[in-house]
Amino acid sequence: MKVLVKRTIHYYINKYPAAEKSLLLWEKEFSKLTFQNFNEIKKVYGNASIVGNGRVVFNIKGNDYRLVVSVNFRQQACYIIWFGTHKEYDKIDVETISYDINIDNYKRQ
């Protein structure tokens, strides 16, 4: 499953440096796998939550962070919609949260 827009990962690593190792590990693992449906994701990532709007929520670094990903099974690709602490996650609507447009202007440091 191809993880699109790597800049997004680096943006969130810059914002949450404590999550760097865990987020990069998730990206490395996830990009090596192929999934045909949400049930297959759930078999590999038992703690993942399947939510509406084609999205999956992953626990990162134990349960310290949450990662919201939009998945396209036909294209075997996904992109990161949102990443933040568990506390921040509790304040969003996971099905409607938008991609952070600040990422488009982010340049790796």
Side-chain angles (χ1 to χ4, degrees):
M1 181 79 51
K2 183 172 173 69
V3 179
L4 303 174
V5 192
K6 304 283 186 188
R7 174 179 52 230
T8 304
I9 292 172
H10 295 289
Y11 171 83
Y12 285 120
I13 287 171
N14 186 60
K15 189 172 179 179
Y16 302 99
E20 178 177 10
K21 184 176 179 180
S22 298
L23 191 55
L24 289 174
L25 179 62
W26 173 87
E27 187 266 336
K28 183 178 179 181
E29 286 177 353
F30 198 76
S31 64
K32 291 179 180 177
L33 300 171
T34 301
F35 301 103
Q36 300 305 314
N37 55 53
F38 290 114
N39 291 332
E40 290 182 5
I41 291 175
K42 191 73 173 158
K43 284 180 187 175
V44 175
Y45 297 94
N47 291 329
S49 299
I50 291 118
V51 296
N53 204 14
R55 296 175 179 195
V56 179
V57 179
F58 295 92
N59 294 328
I60 302 294
K61 197 176 179 227
N63 201 19
D64 293 346
Y65 298 90
R66 295 286 176 94
L67 174 66
V68 179
V69 176
S70 178
V71 178
N72 184 315
F73 295 106
R74 189 174 334 148
Q75 295 181 352
Q76 285 298 298
C78 73
Y79 66 95
I80 296 170
I81 302 286
W82 184 90
F83 181 78
T85 66
H86 192 147
K87 186 176 180 179
E88 292 167 331
Y89 173 83
D90 289 340
K91 296 177 183 175
I92 68 167
D93 181 341
V94 70
E95 291 185 32
T96 62
I97 188 80
S98 296
Y99 173 81
D100 186 345
I101 60 169
N102 292 319
I103 295 168
D104 293 339
N105 297 320
Y106 175 74
K107 295 196 184 342
R108 269 177 91 171
Q109 301 174 7

